[in-house]
Amino acid sequence: MYCENLFCIYFENEKCTLDEISLNIQGLCQECIYVSIYKEILNEERQKILNSYKE
């Protein structure tokens, strides 16, 4: 099953590792569990990307 959610713990090589999922009324996966990312790391990476667009 193809997946685009890089932050879900079940994401691996652009695929969902679960055998089955259920979608809510908005079409979002109900089994999705997000990876926790420390704010410091997120802010550092965000700043790196922003800087690359400024160059």
Side-chain angles (χ1 to χ4, degrees):
M1 183 173 357
Y2 180 75
C3 178
E4 293 182 354
N5 192 342
L6 302 172
F7 298 105
C8 180
I9 64 169
Y10 300 115
F11 176 89
E12 186 177 303
N13 298 321
E14 298 182 0
K15 296 193 188 297
C16 179
T17 59
L18 296 174
D19 292 330
E20 291 183 14
I21 63 163
S22 36
L23 303 177
N24 65 19
I25 196 161
Q26 296 161 329
L28 300 174
C29 177
Q30 291 187 285
E31 285 73 27
C32 179
I33 300 172
Y34 288 96
V35 174
S36 296
I37 300 174
Y38 294 111
K39 283 185 179 181
E40 294 82 13
I41 293 172
L42 182 59
N43 288 335
E44 286 175 20
E45 293 303 313
R46 184 179 290 126
Q47 193 60 50
K48 284 180 193 176
I49 294 170
L50 280 171
N51 290 340
S52 72
Y53 282 103
K54 292 177 183 177
E55 295 174 357

